[in-house]
Amino acid sequence: MTDPTANANAALSGNVLFYSQPEPLSVEAHGALGVIPVDKPYGFVAGTNLVPLTVTEFAPAALSYPVIFVGDNRQPVAVMGLRGGENLFVSDAGEFRPEAYIPAYVRRYPFVFANDEGQNRMILCVDRAAPFIKEDSATPLFVDGKPSAYVEQAMEFCNNFEQERQRTDAFVKLLNEFDLLETKEAVFTPRKPDGTAAAPQKIAEYYGVSEDKLKALPAEKLAELRDNGALGQIYAHMVSLLGWDRLIALTFQQNAAAQPAAGNA
């Protein structure tokens, strides 16, 4: 069950990336608020290098980022930087690179569903700390005491996202049932001044689909993955791992661009 205008005092559970002050959306607490344009629309993403993905986003995301699985829950994420707190795809102006895919997890901000365990329901929340949530906006959150068209669209987007999140959970469960995930490493081999290869350096450790395990699946299980669409998403994930080289190149570019500024400091 979902409720776009829940009691502001409802007890919520869970922590969500990007949201520092999520509040249950209500006309009492947010009736005078709206959305305004800001200079850095995606500035809130600049401080993270891992952004969650849903399974249906694997193919478009694979064109921009490595798509990997992390944590005990094997959460699929897009890798946007090699170091924590660094995002190579969000500029100082708070914009994504023009060619980069923007995950739905980012696009739904500042709205999010949260669990109201006391009422056994999902309620729509808004991050009150979002820089573009202000009073007296031309795009209000409420009109005549009811959710505005903007909020209704956000509600629909969050509903769709929740459905995709559940589909993603089922996909990861299937990978675990078929024992397809293994620990992988992303490795960078630097070059010495004479052009020869130096010792390889590990830049990341993560979970990914094992090509050997996939090939060893019985025909009926492989057919199941094909028929339910999971096989295409697996291939998208595997192809995306070529993106580690892109991240390394972008890191070198960023470091090179920063050197003159550091020298003039």
Side-chain angles (χ1 to χ4, degrees):
M1 178 179 179
T2 58
D3 185 352
T5 57
N7 188 308
N9 294 321
L12 305 181
S13 64
N15 296 314
V16 188
L17 178 67
F18 302 144
Y19 298 77
S20 60
Q21 192 181 336
E23 299 175 354
L25 187 66
S26 70
V27 66
E28 294 82 8
H30 310 108
L33 300 180
V35 180
I36 64 169
V38 292
D39 293 335
K40 298 183 178 182
Y42 295 111
F44 63 93
V45 192
T48 183
N49 65 325
L50 303 176
V51 174
L53 288 173
T54 62
V55 65
T56 52
E57 297 181 281
F58 281 18
L63 299 175
S64 302
Y65 323 104
V67 175
I68 66 173
F69 301 85
V70 298
D72 294 338
N73 294 330
R74 308 301 192 260
Q75 167 71 52
V77 298
V79 185
M80 299 186 181
L82 297 181
R83 296 183 289 261
E86 173 188 77
N87 193 310
L88 299 169
F89 292 86
V90 177
S91 69
D92 292 340
E95 293 281 2
F96 267 88
R97 287 176 174 266
E99 76 282 5
Y101 175 75
I102 303 177
Y105 192 99
V106 171
R107 287 180 277 124
R108 72 174 178 173
Y109 186 80
F111 297 98
V112 64
F113 276 138
N115 290 321
D116 180 357
E117 295 179 348
Q119 298 293 326
N120 190 28
R121 61 180 178 175
M122 301 288 287
I123 59 177
L124 186 65
C125 295
V126 63
D127 187 2
R128 184 63 182 86
F132 41 84
I133 298 296
K134 300 291 184 182
E135 293 184 359
D136 300 324
S137 166
T139 306
L141 300 183
F142 291 89
V143 176
D144 297 329
K146 297 181 179 180
S148 66
Y150 179 84
V151 169
E152 293 290 351
Q153 291 174 0
M155 181 75 170
E156 181 180 2
F157 190 92
C158 288
N159 265 321
N160 292 337
F161 183 89
E162 179 62 20
Q163 294 173 13
E164 293 300 326
R165 187 194 63 76
Q166 294 176 10
R167 186 174 290 115
T168 302
D169 288 346
F171 172 78
V172 173
K173 181 180 180 181
L174 192 62
L175 295 183
N176 288 327
E177 289 178 354
F178 285 10
D179 190 29
L180 290 177
L181 294 175
E182 67 177 2
T183 302
K184 291 179 175 288
E185 293 182 351
V187 177
F188 167 60
T189 303
R191 293 287 174 178
K192 297 178 181 178
D194 63 2
T196 60
Q201 300 176 9
K202 183 174 72 172
I203 57 177
E205 185 173 286
Y206 59 95
Y207 297 104
V209 172
S210 166
E211 186 173 356
D212 291 338
K213 290 183 177 182
L214 185 63
K215 289 180 179 178
L217 279 180
E220 64 273 13
K221 288 190 175 181
L222 199 60
E224 180 181 344
L225 292 177
R226 180 198 63 207
D227 294 344
N228 65 19
L231 191 58
Q233 308 298 355
I234 288 172
Y235 286 147
H237 149 68
M238 295 172 72
V239 170
S240 80
L241 300 181
L242 298 172
W244 286 112
D245 288 340
R246 183 186 305 115
L247 288 183
I248 292 169
L250 288 174
T251 300
F252 276 117
Q253 291 175 13
Q254 180 172 289
N255 291 344
Q259 282 180 356
N264 295 331

